[in-house]
Amino acid sequence: GEFNSGNIKGSTNISLDKVQSNIKEIEKLNKAVIFCCASGVRSGQATSIAKARGIKAYNGGGWRSLNSKLNK
């Protein structure tokens, strides 16, 4: 529901509880990823999971804030 209420164009929805099981797919992207959520808390946890696997990852914080930064 959170993703459908607003998201960044071109983004992919992976809930926090699915990040670990999708980590190999994220690794295959072979590029940095930015995680975001409504508040930035779950995206911080997802970022930590990815970084622990050696993925260049960033916590974009809340999706509204990140979206406004990307559209400047």
Side-chain angles (χ1 to χ4, degrees):
E2 181 181 311
F3 184 79
N4 291 331
S5 70
N7 57 70
I8 296 172
K9 185 178 179 178
S11 63
T12 300
N13 182 24
I14 304 174
S15 60
L16 178 60
D17 64 332
K18 302 289 185 202
V19 171
Q20 189 66 45
S21 62
N22 284 284
I23 203 74
K24 289 185 189 260
E25 295 302 315
I26 297 168
E27 287 173 328
K28 288 179 187 177
L29 295 172
N30 201 30
K31 59 183 169 182
V33 294
I34 302 172
F35 291 98
C36 63
C37 64
S39 67
V41 175
R42 288 180 307 280
S43 59
Q45 293 170 323
T47 300
S48 294
I49 292 167
K51 284 184 172 184
R53 288 291 297 259
I55 297 169
K56 192 171 190 175
Y58 301 94
N59 180 1
W63 63 265
R64 287 183 180 150
S65 174
L66 179 59
N67 198 30
S68 68
K69 291 174 187 173
L70 293 173
N71 289 311
K72 282 187 177 182

Short mmCIF file of all heavy atoms in Angstrom, two decimals:
data_model
loop_
_atom_site.label_atom_id
_atom_site.label_comp_id
_atom_site.label_asym_id
_atom_site.label_seq_id
_atom_site.Cartn_x
_atom_site.Cartn_y
_atom_site.Cartn_z
N GLY A 1 0.82 -1.20 0.00
CA GLY A 1 0.00 0.00 0.00
C GLY A 1 0.86 1.26 0.00
O GLY A 1 0.54 2.22 -0.68
N GLU A 2 1.93 1.25 0.78
CA GLU A 2 2.80 2.42 0.86
C GLU A 2 3.39 2.75 -0.51
O GLU A 2 3.40 3.90 -0.93
CB GLU A 2 3.92 2.15 1.86
CG GLU A 2 4.87 3.30 2.06
CD GLU A 2 5.97 2.97 3.05
OE1 GLU A 2 5.66 2.47 4.15
OE2 GLU A 2 7.14 3.19 2.71
N PHE A 3 3.85 1.74 -1.22
CA PHE A 3 4.45 1.95 -2.54
C PHE A 3 3.41 2.51 -3.50
O PHE A 3 3.69 3.43 -4.27
CB PHE A 3 5.01 0.64 -3.08
CG PHE A 3 5.73 0.77 -4.39
CD1 PHE A 3 7.03 1.25 -4.44
CD2 PHE A 3 5.13 0.39 -5.57
CE1 PHE A 3 7.71 1.37 -5.65
CE2 PHE A 3 5.80 0.50 -6.78
CZ PHE A 3 7.09 0.99 -6.82
N ASN A 4 2.19 1.98 -3.45
CA ASN A 4 1.14 2.44 -4.35
C ASN A 4 0.64 3.83 -4.03
O ASN A 4 0.11 4.52 -4.91
CB ASN A 4 -0.04 1.45 -4.33
CG ASN A 4 0.33 0.13 -4.96
OD1 ASN A 4 1.18 0.06 -5.84
ND2 ASN A 4 -0.29 -0.94 -4.50
N SER A 5 0.82 4.29 -2.79
CA SER A 5 0.38 5.63 -2.43
C SER A 5 1.35 6.70 -2.92
O SER A 5 1.05 7.88 -2.88
CB SER A 5 0.19 5.74 -0.91
OG SER A 5 1.43 5.70 -0.25
N GLY A 6 2.50 6.29 -3.38
CA GLY A 6 3.48 7.22 -3.91
C GLY A 6 4.82 6.54 -4.04
O GLY A 6 5.24 5.85 -3.13
N ASN A 7 5.43 6.68 -5.18
CA ASN A 7 6.75 6.10 -5.38
C ASN A 7 7.50 6.91 -6.42
O ASN A 7 6.93 7.81 -7.03
CB ASN A 7 6.65 4.62 -5.78
CG ASN A 7 5.83 4.41 -7.03
OD1 ASN A 7 6.26 4.77 -8.12
ND2 ASN A 7 4.65 3.83 -6.88
N ILE A 8 8.73 6.60 -6.60
CA ILE A 8 9.57 7.32 -7.55
C ILE A 8 9.54 6.57 -8.88
O ILE A 8 9.72 5.35 -8.91
CB ILE A 8 11.01 7.45 -7.00
CG1 ILE A 8 10.97 8.32 -5.73
CG2 ILE A 8 11.95 8.04 -8.05
CD1 ILE A 8 12.25 8.38 -4.98
N LYS A 9 9.29 7.31 -9.94
CA LYS A 9 9.19 6.71 -11.27
C LYS A 9 10.41 5.85 -11.56
O LYS A 9 11.55 6.26 -11.33
CB LYS A 9 9.06 7.81 -12.32
CG LYS A 9 8.82 7.29 -13.71
CD LYS A 9 8.66 8.41 -14.71
CE LYS A 9 8.44 7.82 -16.09
NZ LYS A 9 8.23 8.87 -17.08
N GLY A 10 10.16 4.62 -12.00
CA GLY A 10 11.24 3.71 -12.34
C GLY A 10 11.74 2.90 -11.16
O GLY A 10 12.64 2.06 -11.31
N SER A 11 11.17 3.12 -9.98
CA SER A 11 11.62 2.39 -8.81
C SER A 11 11.01 0.99 -8.76
O SER A 11 10.02 0.70 -9.43
CB SER A 11 11.27 3.16 -7.53
OG SER A 11 9.87 3.30 -7.39
N THR A 12 11.61 0.14 -7.95
CA THR A 12 11.14 -1.22 -7.76
C THR A 12 10.77 -1.40 -6.31
O THR A 12 11.52 -0.99 -5.42
CB THR A 12 12.26 -2.23 -8.13
OG1 THR A 12 12.61 -2.03 -9.50
CG2 THR A 12 11.79 -3.66 -7.94
N ASN A 13 9.64 -2.02 -6.06
CA ASN A 13 9.17 -2.23 -4.69
C ASN A 13 9.70 -3.56 -4.16
O ASN A 13 9.36 -4.62 -4.66
CB ASN A 13 7.64 -2.23 -4.67
CG ASN A 13 7.09 -2.39 -3.28
OD1 ASN A 13 7.74 -2.08 -2.31
ND2 ASN A 13 5.87 -2.87 -3.19
N ILE A 14 10.56 -3.47 -3.15
CA ILE A 14 11.03 -4.65 -2.42
C ILE A 14 10.83 -4.34 -0.94
O ILE A 14 11.49 -3.47 -0.40
CB ILE A 14 12.52 -4.96 -2.69
CG1 ILE A 14 12.79 -5.13 -4.17
CG2 ILE A 14 12.95 -6.21 -1.91
CD1 ILE A 14 14.26 -5.28 -4.51
N SER A 15 9.90 -5.03 -0.31
CA SER A 15 9.64 -4.78 1.11
C SER A 15 10.86 -5.22 1.93
O SER A 15 11.63 -6.09 1.51
CB SER A 15 8.38 -5.48 1.58
OG SER A 15 8.50 -6.87 1.40
N LEU A 16 11.02 -4.60 3.08
CA LEU A 16 12.18 -4.88 3.92
C LEU A 16 12.33 -6.37 4.20
O LEU A 16 13.44 -6.90 4.14
CB LEU A 16 12.10 -4.10 5.24
CG LEU A 16 13.23 -4.34 6.23
CD1 LEU A 16 14.58 -3.98 5.63
CD2 LEU A 16 12.97 -3.56 7.52
N ASP A 17 11.22 -7.05 4.44
CA ASP A 17 11.32 -8.48 4.76
C ASP A 17 11.71 -9.34 3.55
O ASP A 17 12.00 -10.52 3.70
CB ASP A 17 10.03 -8.99 5.38
CG ASP A 17 8.83 -8.91 4.46
OD1 ASP A 17 8.80 -8.04 3.57
OD2 ASP A 17 7.90 -9.72 4.63
N LYS A 18 11.78 -8.74 2.37
CA LYS A 18 12.16 -9.47 1.15
C LYS A 18 13.54 -9.07 0.62
O LYS A 18 14.04 -9.65 -0.33
CB LYS A 18 11.15 -9.23 0.03
CG LYS A 18 9.73 -9.64 0.39
CD LYS A 18 9.60 -11.12 0.46
CE LYS A 18 8.13 -11.47 0.69
NZ LYS A 18 7.93 -12.75 1.25
N VAL A 19 14.18 -8.06 1.24
CA VAL A 19 15.49 -7.60 0.77
C VAL A 19 16.51 -8.73 0.81
O VAL A 19 17.21 -8.98 -0.17
CB VAL A 19 15.98 -6.37 1.56
CG1 VAL A 19 17.43 -6.03 1.22
CG2 VAL A 19 15.09 -5.17 1.28
N GLN A 20 16.59 -9.43 1.93
CA GLN A 20 17.58 -10.50 2.07
C GLN A 20 17.37 -11.59 1.01
O GLN A 20 18.33 -12.05 0.40
CB GLN A 20 17.51 -11.09 3.48
CG GLN A 20 18.63 -12.06 3.77
CD GLN A 20 20.00 -11.39 3.80
OE1 GLN A 20 20.18 -10.34 4.38
NE2 GLN A 20 20.97 -11.99 3.17
N SER A 21 16.12 -11.98 0.78
CA SER A 21 15.87 -13.05 -0.20
C SER A 21 16.05 -12.59 -1.63
O SER A 21 16.16 -13.41 -2.54
CB SER A 21 14.48 -13.65 0.01
OG SER A 21 13.47 -12.68 -0.20
N ASN A 22 16.10 -11.27 -1.86
CA ASN A 22 16.33 -10.73 -3.20
C ASN A 22 17.73 -10.16 -3.38
O ASN A 22 18.02 -9.54 -4.40
CB ASN A 22 15.30 -9.63 -3.49
CG ASN A 22 13.94 -10.18 -3.80
OD1 ASN A 22 13.72 -10.67 -4.90
ND2 ASN A 22 13.04 -10.13 -2.85
N ILE A 23 18.60 -10.39 -2.42
CA ILE A 23 19.92 -9.76 -2.44
C ILE A 23 20.74 -10.16 -3.67
O ILE A 23 21.46 -9.33 -4.23
CB ILE A 23 20.68 -10.00 -1.11
CG1 ILE A 23 21.74 -8.93 -0.89
CG2 ILE A 23 21.29 -11.38 -1.05
CD1 ILE A 23 21.20 -7.61 -0.48
N LYS A 24 20.61 -11.39 -4.13
CA LYS A 24 21.36 -11.81 -5.32
C LYS A 24 20.90 -11.04 -6.55
O LYS A 24 21.72 -10.69 -7.40
CB LYS A 24 21.25 -13.31 -5.53
CG LYS A 24 22.01 -14.11 -4.49
CD LYS A 24 21.98 -15.59 -4.79
CE LYS A 24 22.57 -16.36 -3.64
NZ LYS A 24 23.91 -16.77 -3.79
N GLU A 25 19.62 -10.76 -6.65
CA GLU A 25 19.10 -9.97 -7.77
C GLU A 25 19.60 -8.54 -7.69
O GLU A 25 19.93 -7.93 -8.71
CB GLU A 25 17.57 -10.00 -7.78
CG GLU A 25 16.98 -11.37 -8.04
CD GLU A 25 17.44 -11.99 -9.36
OE1 GLU A 25 17.45 -11.28 -10.38
OE2 GLU A 25 17.82 -13.17 -9.35
N ILE A 26 19.68 -8.01 -6.49
CA ILE A 26 20.20 -6.66 -6.30
C ILE A 26 21.68 -6.62 -6.67
O ILE A 26 22.14 -5.69 -7.34
CB ILE A 26 19.96 -6.18 -4.85
CG1 ILE A 26 18.45 -6.11 -4.57
CG2 ILE A 26 20.62 -4.83 -4.61
CD1 ILE A 26 18.10 -5.92 -3.11
N GLU A 27 22.42 -7.65 -6.28
CA GLU A 27 23.85 -7.73 -6.64
C GLU A 27 24.02 -7.76 -8.16
O GLU A 27 24.96 -7.16 -8.69
CB GLU A 27 24.48 -8.97 -6.03
CG GLU A 27 24.69 -8.89 -4.54
CD GLU A 27 25.17 -10.19 -3.93
OE1 GLU A 27 24.82 -11.29 -4.42
OE2 GLU A 27 25.91 -10.10 -2.94
N LYS A 28 23.15 -8.45 -8.87
CA LYS A 28 23.24 -8.57 -10.32
C LYS A 28 23.07 -7.23 -11.03
O LYS A 28 23.48 -7.09 -12.18
CB LYS A 28 22.20 -9.56 -10.85
CG LYS A 28 22.53 -11.00 -10.53
CD LYS A 28 21.45 -11.91 -11.08
CE LYS A 28 21.65 -13.35 -10.63
NZ LYS A 28 20.56 -14.22 -11.11
N LEU A 29 22.47 -6.25 -10.36
CA LEU A 29 22.33 -4.92 -10.97
C LEU A 29 23.71 -4.31 -11.24
O LEU A 29 23.86 -3.50 -12.14
CB LEU A 29 21.52 -4.00 -10.06
CG LEU A 29 20.06 -4.38 -9.84
CD1 LEU A 29 19.45 -3.48 -8.77
CD2 LEU A 29 19.28 -4.31 -11.14
N ASN A 30 24.68 -4.69 -10.40
CA ASN A 30 26.06 -4.22 -10.55
C ASN A 30 26.16 -2.70 -10.59
O ASN A 30 26.91 -2.13 -11.40
CB ASN A 30 26.70 -4.85 -11.79
CG ASN A 30 28.22 -4.82 -11.69
OD1 ASN A 30 28.78 -4.86 -10.60
ND2 ASN A 30 28.87 -4.74 -12.83
N LYS A 31 25.36 -2.06 -9.75
CA LYS A 31 25.43 -0.61 -9.62
C LYS A 31 24.90 -0.21 -8.25
O LYS A 31 24.31 -1.03 -7.55
CB LYS A 31 24.66 0.10 -10.72
CG LYS A 31 23.19 -0.24 -10.81
CD LYS A 31 22.57 0.48 -11.99
CE LYS A 31 21.17 -0.03 -12.27
NZ LYS A 31 20.60 0.63 -13.43
N ALA A 32 25.15 1.01 -7.88
CA ALA A 32 24.68 1.51 -6.59
C ALA A 32 23.16 1.53 -6.57
O ALA A 32 22.51 1.74 -7.60
CB ALA A 32 25.22 2.91 -6.33
N VAL A 33 22.60 1.29 -5.39
CA VAL A 33 21.15 1.34 -5.22
C VAL A 33 20.81 2.32 -4.11
O VAL A 33 21.60 2.55 -3.19
CB VAL A 33 20.55 -0.05 -4.92
CG1 VAL A 33 20.70 -0.98 -6.10
CG2 VAL A 33 21.16 -0.66 -3.68
N ILE A 34 19.63 2.90 -4.23
CA ILE A 34 19.12 3.82 -3.21
C ILE A 34 17.84 3.21 -2.67
O ILE A 34 16.92 2.91 -3.42
CB ILE A 34 18.82 5.21 -3.80
CG1 ILE A 34 20.06 5.82 -4.42
CG2 ILE A 34 18.24 6.12 -2.70
CD1 ILE A 34 19.80 7.10 -5.20
N PHE A 35 17.80 3.01 -1.36
CA PHE A 35 16.60 2.50 -0.72
C PHE A 35 15.83 3.67 -0.13
O PHE A 35 16.41 4.62 0.39
CB PHE A 35 16.96 1.54 0.42
CG PHE A 35 17.57 0.25 -0.07
CD1 PHE A 35 18.94 0.08 -0.09
CD2 PHE A 35 16.76 -0.79 -0.51
CE1 PHE A 35 19.51 -1.11 -0.54
CE2 PHE A 35 17.32 -1.98 -0.96
CZ PHE A 35 18.68 -2.13 -0.98
N CYS A 36 14.51 3.63 -0.23
CA CYS A 36 13.67 4.64 0.41
C CYS A 36 12.38 4.00 0.88
O CYS A 36 12.01 2.90 0.45
CB CYS A 36 13.41 5.82 -0.52
SG CYS A 36 12.51 5.44 -2.02
N CYS A 37 11.70 4.66 1.79
CA CYS A 37 10.43 4.20 2.32
C CYS A 37 9.66 5.46 2.74
O CYS A 37 10.05 6.56 2.39
CB CYS A 37 10.63 3.22 3.48
SG CYS A 37 11.43 3.93 4.92
N ALA A 38 8.62 5.31 3.50
CA ALA A 38 7.85 6.49 3.91
C ALA A 38 8.63 7.39 4.86
O ALA A 38 8.62 8.61 4.72
CB ALA A 38 6.53 6.07 4.55
N SER A 39 9.34 6.79 5.82
CA SER A 39 10.00 7.60 6.84
C SER A 39 11.52 7.59 6.77
O SER A 39 12.17 8.47 7.31
CB SER A 39 9.59 7.11 8.23
OG SER A 39 10.10 5.80 8.44
N GLY A 40 12.11 6.56 6.16
CA GLY A 40 13.56 6.43 6.11
C GLY A 40 14.12 5.40 7.07
O GLY A 40 15.30 5.07 7.02
N VAL A 41 13.28 4.86 7.96
CA VAL A 41 13.75 3.88 8.93
C VAL A 41 13.99 2.52 8.27
O VAL A 41 15.07 1.94 8.38
CB VAL A 41 12.76 3.75 10.12
CG1 VAL A 41 13.20 2.63 11.06
CG2 VAL A 41 12.66 5.06 10.86
N ARG A 42 12.99 2.01 7.57
CA ARG A 42 13.15 0.71 6.91
C ARG A 42 14.19 0.79 5.80
O ARG A 42 14.94 -0.16 5.58
CB ARG A 42 11.80 0.20 6.36
CG ARG A 42 10.86 -0.24 7.47
CD ARG A 42 9.54 -0.74 6.91
NE ARG A 42 8.89 0.20 5.99
CZ ARG A 42 8.18 1.26 6.37
NH1 ARG A 42 8.00 1.52 7.65
NH2 ARG A 42 7.63 2.06 5.47
N SER A 43 14.26 1.92 5.12
CA SER A 43 15.28 2.05 4.07
C SER A 43 16.68 2.03 4.67
O SER A 43 17.62 1.52 4.05
CB SER A 43 15.04 3.32 3.25
OG SER A 43 15.09 4.48 4.06
N GLY A 44 16.84 2.52 5.88
CA GLY A 44 18.12 2.45 6.56
C GLY A 44 18.51 1.01 6.88
O GLY A 44 19.66 0.61 6.72
N GLN A 45 17.52 0.23 7.28
CA GLN A 45 17.77 -1.19 7.56
C GLN A 45 18.12 -1.94 6.28
O GLN A 45 19.03 -2.76 6.26
CB GLN A 45 16.54 -1.81 8.24
CG GLN A 45 16.29 -1.26 9.62
CD GLN A 45 14.96 -1.71 10.18
OE1 GLN A 45 13.97 -1.83 9.48
NE2 GLN A 45 14.94 -1.96 11.49
N ALA A 46 17.40 -1.64 5.20
CA ALA A 46 17.68 -2.28 3.91
C ALA A 46 19.07 -1.91 3.41
O ALA A 46 19.81 -2.74 2.88
CB ALA A 46 16.62 -1.88 2.88
N THR A 47 19.46 -0.66 3.61
CA THR A 47 20.78 -0.20 3.22
C THR A 47 21.86 -0.97 3.97
O THR A 47 22.86 -1.40 3.37
CB THR A 47 20.93 1.32 3.48
OG1 THR A 47 19.94 2.01 2.72
CG2 THR A 47 22.30 1.83 3.10
N SER A 48 21.67 -1.19 5.25
CA SER A 48 22.63 -1.95 6.05
C SER A 48 22.76 -3.38 5.56
O SER A 48 23.87 -3.91 5.48
CB SER A 48 22.21 -1.95 7.52
OG SER A 48 22.28 -0.66 8.05
N ILE A 49 21.65 -4.00 5.20
CA ILE A 49 21.67 -5.37 4.68
C ILE A 49 22.49 -5.42 3.39
O ILE A 49 23.35 -6.28 3.21
CB ILE A 49 20.24 -5.89 4.43
CG1 ILE A 49 19.50 -6.08 5.76
CG2 ILE A 49 20.26 -7.20 3.64
CD1 ILE A 49 18.00 -6.29 5.62
N ALA A 50 22.24 -4.48 2.49
CA ALA A 50 22.94 -4.45 1.21
C ALA A 50 24.43 -4.17 1.39
O ALA A 50 25.28 -4.83 0.79
CB ALA A 50 22.31 -3.42 0.29
N LYS A 51 24.76 -3.21 2.24
CA LYS A 51 26.17 -2.88 2.47
C LYS A 51 26.92 -4.06 3.07
O LYS A 51 28.09 -4.27 2.75
CB LYS A 51 26.29 -1.65 3.38
CG LYS A 51 25.98 -0.35 2.66
CD LYS A 51 26.21 0.83 3.59
CE LYS A 51 26.10 2.13 2.84
NZ LYS A 51 26.41 3.29 3.70
N ALA A 52 26.26 -4.83 3.92
CA ALA A 52 26.90 -6.00 4.51
C ALA A 52 27.28 -7.02 3.45
O ALA A 52 28.19 -7.82 3.65
CB ALA A 52 25.98 -6.64 5.55
N ARG A 53 26.61 -7.00 2.31
CA ARG A 53 26.92 -7.89 1.19
C ARG A 53 27.86 -7.24 0.18
O ARG A 53 28.13 -7.79 -0.88
CB ARG A 53 25.63 -8.30 0.48
CG ARG A 53 24.78 -9.27 1.26
CD ARG A 53 25.40 -10.65 1.39
NE ARG A 53 25.58 -11.33 0.14
CZ ARG A 53 24.80 -12.28 -0.34
NH1 ARG A 53 23.77 -12.69 0.37
NH2 ARG A 53 25.04 -12.83 -1.51
N GLY A 54 28.34 -6.04 0.49
CA GLY A 54 29.29 -5.37 -0.38
C GLY A 54 28.65 -4.56 -1.50
O GLY A 54 29.34 -4.13 -2.43
N ILE A 55 27.36 -4.34 -1.41
CA ILE A 55 26.66 -3.55 -2.43
C ILE A 55 26.79 -2.08 -2.07
O ILE A 55 26.62 -1.69 -0.91
CB ILE A 55 25.17 -3.96 -2.48
CG1 ILE A 55 25.04 -5.41 -2.91
CG2 ILE A 55 24.39 -3.04 -3.42
CD1 ILE A 55 23.65 -5.99 -2.75
N LYS A 56 27.08 -1.26 -3.05
CA LYS A 56 27.12 0.18 -2.84
C LYS A 56 25.68 0.65 -2.70
O LYS A 56 24.92 0.63 -3.68
CB LYS A 56 27.83 0.88 -4.00
CG LYS A 56 28.16 2.31 -3.73
CD LYS A 56 29.04 2.87 -4.83
CE LYS A 56 29.56 4.23 -4.43
NZ LYS A 56 30.51 4.75 -5.41
N ALA A 57 25.28 0.99 -1.49
CA ALA A 57 23.88 1.31 -1.21
C ALA A 57 23.79 2.60 -0.40
O ALA A 57 24.67 2.91 0.40
CB ALA A 57 23.24 0.16 -0.46
N TYR A 58 22.69 3.31 -0.61
CA TYR A 58 22.45 4.57 0.08
C TYR A 58 21.05 4.57 0.65
O TYR A 58 20.12 4.05 0.04
CB TYR A 58 22.60 5.75 -0.88
CG TYR A 58 23.96 5.83 -1.50
CD1 TYR A 58 24.21 5.25 -2.74
CD2 TYR A 58 24.99 6.48 -0.85
CE1 TYR A 58 25.47 5.31 -3.32
CE2 TYR A 58 26.26 6.55 -1.42
CZ TYR A 58 26.48 5.96 -2.65
OH TYR A 58 27.72 6.02 -3.21
N ASN A 59 20.90 5.20 1.80
CA ASN A 59 19.58 5.40 2.39
C ASN A 59 19.05 6.73 1.88
O ASN A 59 19.52 7.78 2.27
CB ASN A 59 19.67 5.39 3.92
CG ASN A 59 18.31 5.59 4.57
OD1 ASN A 59 17.29 5.72 3.89
ND2 ASN A 59 18.30 5.63 5.87
N GLY A 60 18.06 6.65 0.99
CA GLY A 60 17.46 7.87 0.44
C GLY A 60 16.47 8.51 1.38
O GLY A 60 15.98 9.60 1.11
N GLY A 61 16.19 7.85 2.51
CA GLY A 61 15.23 8.40 3.47
C GLY A 61 13.80 8.21 3.00
O GLY A 61 13.49 7.25 2.31
N GLY A 62 12.97 9.15 3.33
CA GLY A 62 11.57 9.11 2.91
C GLY A 62 11.43 9.33 1.42
O GLY A 62 12.14 10.15 0.84
N TRP A 63 10.50 8.60 0.79
CA TRP A 63 10.37 8.69 -0.67
C TRP A 63 9.92 10.06 -1.13
O TRP A 63 10.33 10.52 -2.19
CB TRP A 63 9.47 7.59 -1.22
CG TRP A 63 8.05 7.62 -0.76
CD1 TRP A 63 7.51 6.92 0.27
CD2 TRP A 63 6.98 8.37 -1.32
NE1 TRP A 63 6.18 7.20 0.40
CE2 TRP A 63 5.83 8.08 -0.57
CE3 TRP A 63 6.88 9.27 -2.37
CZ2 TRP A 63 4.60 8.67 -0.84
CZ3 TRP A 63 5.65 9.85 -2.64
CH2 TRP A 63 4.52 9.55 -1.88
N ARG A 64 9.10 10.77 -0.37
CA ARG A 64 8.66 12.12 -0.78
C ARG A 64 9.84 13.08 -0.81
O ARG A 64 10.00 13.86 -1.74
CB ARG A 64 7.57 12.63 0.14
CG ARG A 64 6.26 11.94 -0.08
CD ARG A 64 5.17 12.52 0.79
NE ARG A 64 3.93 11.81 0.53
CZ ARG A 64 3.00 11.63 1.41
NH1 ARG A 64 3.14 12.09 2.63
NH2 ARG A 64 1.91 10.97 1.10
N SER A 65 10.65 13.01 0.24
CA SER A 65 11.82 13.88 0.31
C SER A 65 12.80 13.55 -0.81
O SER A 65 13.32 14.45 -1.48
CB SER A 65 12.49 13.71 1.67
OG SER A 65 13.70 14.41 1.73
N LEU A 66 13.05 12.27 -1.03
CA LEU A 66 13.97 11.86 -2.08
C LEU A 66 13.44 12.26 -3.45
O LEU A 66 14.19 12.77 -4.29
CB LEU A 66 14.22 10.35 -2.03
CG LEU A 66 15.15 9.78 -3.10
CD1 LEU A 66 16.53 10.44 -3.03
CD2 LEU A 66 15.26 8.28 -2.96
N ASN A 67 12.16 12.07 -3.68
CA ASN A 67 11.57 12.44 -4.96
C ASN A 67 11.74 13.93 -5.24
O ASN A 67 12.08 14.31 -6.36
CB ASN A 67 10.09 12.04 -4.99
CG ASN A 67 9.54 11.99 -6.40
OD1 ASN A 67 10.25 11.72 -7.34
ND2 ASN A 67 8.26 12.26 -6.52
N SER A 68 11.54 14.77 -4.23
CA SER A 68 11.70 16.22 -4.43
C SER A 68 13.16 16.56 -4.72
O SER A 68 13.43 17.45 -5.53
CB SER A 68 11.17 17.00 -3.24
OG SER A 68 11.96 16.80 -2.10
N LYS A 69 14.10 15.85 -4.09
CA LYS A 69 15.52 16.10 -4.36
C LYS A 69 15.89 15.68 -5.78
O LYS A 69 16.68 16.36 -6.44
CB LYS A 69 16.39 15.35 -3.35
CG LYS A 69 16.31 15.88 -1.95
CD LYS A 69 17.08 15.02 -0.99
CE LYS A 69 16.86 15.47 0.44
NZ LYS A 69 17.45 14.55 1.41
N LEU A 70 15.33 14.57 -6.24
CA LEU A 70 15.65 14.08 -7.58
C LEU A 70 15.05 14.95 -8.68
O LEU A 70 15.56 14.98 -9.79
CB LEU A 70 15.16 12.64 -7.74
CG LEU A 70 15.86 11.59 -6.89
CD1 LEU A 70 15.16 10.24 -7.03
CD2 LEU A 70 17.33 11.46 -7.28
N ASN A 71 13.99 15.67 -8.36
CA ASN A 71 13.29 16.47 -9.35
C ASN A 71 13.64 17.94 -9.30
O ASN A 71 12.95 18.77 -9.85
CB ASN A 71 11.77 16.28 -9.21
CG ASN A 71 11.35 14.92 -9.67
OD1 ASN A 71 11.73 14.47 -10.74
ND2 ASN A 71 10.56 14.23 -8.87
N LYS A 72 14.73 18.28 -8.63
CA LYS A 72 15.18 19.68 -8.57
C LYS A 72 15.84 20.08 -9.85
O LYS A 72 16.45 19.36 -10.55
CB LYS A 72 16.13 19.91 -7.41
CG LYS A 72 15.40 20.03 -6.10
CD LYS A 72 16.37 20.43 -5.02
CE LYS A 72 15.59 20.62 -3.74
NZ LYS A 72 16.41 21.06 -2.66
#
